């Protein structure tokens, strides 16, 4: 099977983005690190990042319940498609970022908000991701690209598979997941995406 074009960041680029996100986030009063991690670790779409609410965090299970999205400004909350709803297991660093945000005292039902504590929506999430790329000196990408990064990181790890990436991204069809990936290999299905991503972090 042919190899697809390079469509994702490696660990160095993601690390550079996270550094910039911490600095920029502190300057503008927004948790941009958490916004990035919801993309590169949880694999959420920009509308799902914007629509994630604190009640969607299952702390006991260590999972996010993906059921709400905010595609547009105003009162645009709506349910995600039935076949795209589901749960995503938290990586260690994503859980730590969520806990830190919660400890700072959530002032909104939404996990990610603007500095004025207003909910975001698809284009605002993507604008922030694009700005972070510019500040990090990387080619500009918008919010959905982070989902590509999550898929690629899972699938390129030793012992992973298309099935692991498919489950993490909540794709109904494996063929949809394939468009995110560099090559198709491996056959073992599983639910170990978060553990795979944790193992990729330096020092693990």
């Amino acid at each position: 099977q042919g190899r697809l074009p390079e469509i994702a960041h490696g660990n160095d680029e993601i690390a550079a983005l996270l550094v910039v996100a911490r600095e920029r986030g502190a300057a503008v009063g927004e948790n941009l690190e958490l916004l990035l991690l919801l993309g590169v670790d949880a694999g959420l779409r920009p509308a799902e990042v914007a629509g994630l609410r604190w009640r969607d965090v299952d702390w006991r299970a260590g999972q996010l319940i993906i059921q709400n999205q905010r595609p547009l400004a105003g009162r645009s909350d709506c349910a995600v498609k039935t076949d795209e709803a589901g749960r995503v297991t938290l990586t260690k660093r994503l859980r730590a970022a969520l806990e830190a945000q919660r400890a700072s005292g959530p002032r909104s039902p939404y996990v990610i908000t603007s500095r004025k504590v207003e909910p975001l929506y698809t284009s605002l999430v993507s604008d922030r991701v694009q700005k972070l790329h510019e500040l990090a000196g990387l080619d500009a990408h918008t919010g959905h690209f982070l989902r590509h990064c999550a898929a690629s990181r899972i699938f390129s790890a030793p012992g992973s598979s298309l099935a692991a990436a498919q489950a993490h991204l909540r794709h109904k069809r494996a063929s949809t997941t394939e468009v995110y990936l560099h090559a198709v290999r491996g056959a073992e299905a599983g639910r170990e995406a978060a553990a795979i991503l944790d193992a990729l972090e330096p020092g693990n």
Side-chain angles (χ1 to χ4, degrees), residues 34-105:
L34 180 54
L35 184 149
L36 278 180
L37 290 176
L38 288 170
V40 298
D41 278 11
L44 301 193
R45 300 173 179 88
E48 295 168 347
V49 171
L52 186 68
R53 300 160 298 191
W54 286 108
R55 69 185 187 195
D56 299 325
V57 182
D58 185 339
W59 297 103
R60 184 181 297 276
Q63 295 177 329
L64 300 177
I65 304 167
I66 312 305
Q67 58 188 346
N68 190 59
Q69 59 182 333
R70 284 184 51 79
L72 302 169
R75 296 181 177 274
S76 68
D77 282 63
C78 58
V80 301
K81 295 178 183 177
T82 302
D83 58 1
E84 294 176 351
R87 288 174 172 260
V88 174
T89 300
L90 300 173
T91 61
K92 293 176 183 177
R93 68 177 177 179
L94 177 52
R95 183 179 183 114
L98 282 165
E99 289 174 343
Q101 178 75 347
R102 181 176 64 165
S104 71

